[in-house]
Amino acid sequence: MDCLPVIRPMRPRDVTAVYGVESNAYDYPWASNIFRDCLRMGYECWVQLATDRVVGHVVLAMGPGEAHVLNLAVHPDWHDRGFGRALLEQALSRAEELGAESVFLEVRPSNAPAVHLYSGFGFRRVGRRPGYYQTATGREDALVMRYDLREVAPVGRR
């Protein structure tokens, strides 16, 4: 890798760049104001930098005893460099530091790279949300996945 990757807290001035990543990563991206609201609400929001530009982000919401990965994206030009893995590790570490016992997320079943990443970390499928995601032809279900922070961490987590 020819850059020094850094993960740091998202700042309000990052939102335009974060939206640029989001809109390149997803056909149905979050709007910029959603990221601003997440920052305002005090969610755990982090950006992945490479060569001083935002190339990925993760948003984590905390609740009593649990956390929820609301959004994780890496710009397609920066895929396959370990940035998604690093952002997920950041989210899991923060969830653990803040007292969560479980971390949940939703993922499109059609997003095989993401399903593979989450499964490789030790997330397990615990449910399905019918019609959760918009598609060009209608709706797609979401897989609900859970990571138990109380279990022994899988290989690669520590």
Side-chain angles (χ1 to χ4, degrees), residues 4 25 33 43 50 68 80 86 109 111 116 126 130:
L4 180 62
N33 65 319
Y43 291 178
H68 196 124
D80 301 320
N111 188 347
H116 179 74
V126 294

Side-chain angles (χ1 to χ4, degrees), residues 23-86:
S23 61
N24 277 283
Y26 298 121
D27 291 334
Y28 299 94
W30 278 13
S32 294
N33 65 319
I34 296 174
F35 291 105
R36 285 188 191 91
D37 289 345
C38 288
L39 286 168
R40 194 172 13 261
M41 294 298 296
Y43 291 178
E44 290 287 317
C45 303
W46 298 84
V47 292
Q48 172 75 62
L49 301 176
T51 61
D52 293 331
R53 63 183 266 215
V54 173
V55 299
H57 56 271
V58 65
V59 176
L60 182 74
M62 296 297 302
E66 67 182 47
H68 196 124
V69 176
L70 300 176
N71 189 304
L72 191 154
V74 175
H75 192 288
D77 291 349
W78 294 86
H79 281 183
D80 301 320
R81 298 182 192 211
F83 292 154
R85 172 173 279 283

Side-chain angles (χ1 to χ4, degrees), residues 135-152:
T135 70
T137 58
R139 308 293 295 180
E140 179 178 5
D141 292 354
L143 298 178
V144 179
M145 301 185 82
R146 178 178 176 266
Y147 181 88
D148 189 342
L149 287 163
R150 297 168 298 182
E151 292 180 4
V152 175

